[in-house]
Amino acid sequence: MKSVKDYYVPWLPGQKMYISPHIELAWREPNLRRMMSNENPWEPSESVLAAINKYARIANRYPDQGLTIRSKLAAMNGLDGPENVMLGNGSSEVFDNIFRSFLLPGEEVIQHTPCFGIYKLRCAALGGKLVSVPMIYDKEQGEIKFDADAVLAAITPKTKIIVIANPNNPTGNFMAAEDFVRIAETGIPFIIDEAYIEFAGMERSHVALTKKYPNVIITRTLSKAYGLAGLRFGYALGDAEVIMQISAMLIPWNVGTITMWAALAALEDQDAMQWRVNFNNQAVAYIEEELGQIPGLTVFHSHGNYILFDCAGTGKKGRDMVAYAQERGIILRPQPEMYGSDGFFRVTIGSEEENHMVVQVIKEFLTQ
Ligand SMILES: Cc1ncc(COP(=O)(O)O)c(C=O)c1O
């Protein structure tokens, strides 16, 4: 008799369940300050809490297909209607649904690194081949830059998906608008991940490209500026025919009733979102200004709710910075060694108190 192992799809053995050690730690030790996962420090607004409470009372009923919120999202983004919008259990599920719609085992996904880790995981789950195109670290200018030429050069006949986050996590920067057009022109399914776009303003969105290029799909999330990471709500915007086709891959009722209506309440409360954005952007400016004064520390100017640093020039290692902060009650995010430097670490914006704390702790460690 064969072992059950012999029945797994060939690319599964060796892969592991995704567990974020930093998030596990934060839940285990709630006194630690969560400055590691690009969450929003503010609890949901009253209108979102009211919607959660209201729809909790009919949690015995199945959700519908989300026509109300899909119509709202279409209207907010200048699109025709709900057929232009697909909902997901966080944008992580949206990536998965798009990948499953296009990718066969052995086919390629191009990502631009350093970047968000979930593209890699969803590609691996499908037996895809991940092609990581590195951004360019301009050490003189202290900037990590997009390299659209290298992304285009990485295309092969097996390329099925290109994914670019704009602004990118962890680098916090934008790619030039004309480079989005150059990639869109290839006709290859092109995901533009706008998880953090609200922090810079919706005028920076490339959603208009979806009208001209049916291969362009915009992804967004309510986990960041809207502050609902635990609720799990993301969405895709695109050409109606494409969105409706890939929506056939959705797991039925993938977004629950409470989540959908709480998300609608959040979208309708633009003042609450804008208030969070303003708070965030002031905090980014404060931290960049304070830490920008440390000799040898490179601060990567961010358009998101996180800031990347390279402390190699101070003679310290990023992972030691993270360990030092943790001893003082703050969880930061270590980064792998990149561009020959082991000095990288990332800070997520926290509450006012936490932002002051993190500035003190980083100054202390890097200047002692
Ligand atoms: C670039 C980027 N995209 C998407 C997400 C996804 O989030 P979610 O699945 O919560 O929508 C994140 C979260 O950190 C991110 O950094």
Side-chain angles (χ1 to χ4, degrees), residues 31 216 224 297:
N31 290 333
V216 172
K224 307 301 177 185
L297 178 67

Side-chain angles (χ1 to χ4, degrees), residues 17 41 51 64 97 100 106 114 134 146 225 245 256 293 301 319 328 342 359 361:
M17 175 183 171
D64 66 1
N97 208 57
R100 283 190 295 112
F146 285 87
Q245 187 60 74
Q293 299 160 10
H301 174 54
R319 82 176 108 85
R328 279 147 192 84
D342 55 10
V359 162
V361 165

Side-chain angles (χ1 to χ4, degrees), residues 37-39 89-95 115-119 165-170 193-196 219-224 228-229 232-235 306 346:
S37 291
N38 301 351
E39 298 164 336
N89 197 280
S91 59
S92 294
E93 192 194 41
V94 172
F95 303 127
C115 67
F116 182 47
I118 302 294
Y119 318 136
N166 201 55
N168 185 50
N169 168 22
D193 177 355
E194 295 187 340
Y196 301 95
T219 61
R220 304 250 186 85
T221 180
L222 265 59
S223 299
K224 307 301 177 185
L228 298 173
R232 311 305 302 133
F233 185 91
Y235 59 96
Y306 49 86
R346 193 191 68 194

Side-chain angles (χ1 to χ4, degrees), residues 9 34 103 141 159 176 207 320-321 328 335:
V9 289
R34 302 173 72 127
L103 198 68
Q141 288 193 1
T159 305
V207 66
D320 294 339
M321 175 71 255
R328 279 147 192 84
Q335 300 289 310

Side-chain angles (χ1 to χ4, degrees), residues 320-355:
D320 294 339
M321 175 71 255
V322 172
Y324 183 88
Q326 199 171 307
E327 282 164 22
R328 279 147 192 84
I330 305 172
I331 315 176
L332 301 180
R333 188 61 154 264
Q335 300 289 310
E337 189 169 323
M338 306 187 279
Y339 307 100
S341 168
D342 55 10
F344 288 97
F345 65 96
R346 193 191 68 194
V347 175
T348 297
I349 301 310
S351 65
E352 193 156 7
E353 184 198 3
E354 288 167 345
N355 299 334

